[in-house]
Amino acid sequence: MREFMSVTKALADANRVRMLLALRGRELCACQITELFGLAPSTMSKHLSILYQAGLVDSRKEGRWVYYSLPGKEAPAAVRKALEWVCDSLTENEKIADDAKRLKQVLNVNPSELCRRQCQN
């Protein structure tokens, strides 16, 4: 029951769902995610922490960078099914399409530059 409640809580926020969809098929640095959604780094960190605690994202640290991705086949069945449901349900959503266009722009900027910009604000 705890796992189910954790997953449903994580999915109860539009920004977190959008983050999951942005991670489909790729790994993103925290700076790229922050840039994509335009939220404060502390807000982004809280959202990513909730997703991580629910098992909906994996993270890895490389130097000063933290990278996030969707979990693989080793994830619990409930997590895999939840991610599949989210992806299937929102593939044609206009906001998700806008995020995908914006993500292309974000991916063209060096993560070091994104981090530098975010640390100045």
Side-chain angles (χ1 to χ4, degrees):
M1 180 68 107
R2 177 177 283 163
E3 182 180 90
F4 175 81
M5 296 308 294
S6 180
V7 168
T8 56
K9 174 185 173 187
L11 295 176
D13 181 90
N15 285 319
R16 290 192 290 267
V17 170
R18 290 170 60 204
M19 286 177 210
L20 292 174
L21 292 166
L23 290 169
R24 282 183 297 184
R26 70 177 54 87
E27 179 179 71
L28 295 173
C29 145
C31 293
Q32 292 170 315
I33 298 169
T34 300
E35 183 74 14
L36 175 62
F37 294 104
L39 298 174
S42 60
T43 302
M44 197 58 50
S45 178
K46 179 66 175 171
H47 283 309
L48 289 166
S49 175
I50 290 168
L51 291 170
Y52 180 80
Q53 292 300 319
L56 292 168
V57 297
D58 288 336
S59 70
R60 70 177 180 86
K61 190 164 173 75
E62 186 176 305
R64 60 185 281 197
W65 310 107
V66 179
Y67 292 90
Y68 292 90
S69 61
L70 297 180
K73 293 180 173 139
E74 72 285 349
V79 168
R80 290 192 318 271
K81 287 178 184 179
L83 289 170
E84 183 180 325
W85 175 65
V86 167
C87 292
D88 289 348
S89 297
L90 296 170
T91 55
E92 296 183 25
N93 181 278
E94 187 176 322
K95 186 66 174 165
I96 302 308
D98 290 344
D99 288 346
K101 289 176 192 170
R102 173 91 175 104
L103 180 57
K104 286 180 183 179
Q105 296 170 338
V106 170
L107 292 173
N108 285 327
V109 180
N110 186 311
S112 297
E113 174 63 21
L114 292 175
C115 183
R116 188 184 61 72
R117 278 192 230 160
Q118 291 167 12
C119 291
Q120 289 178 348
N121 293 334

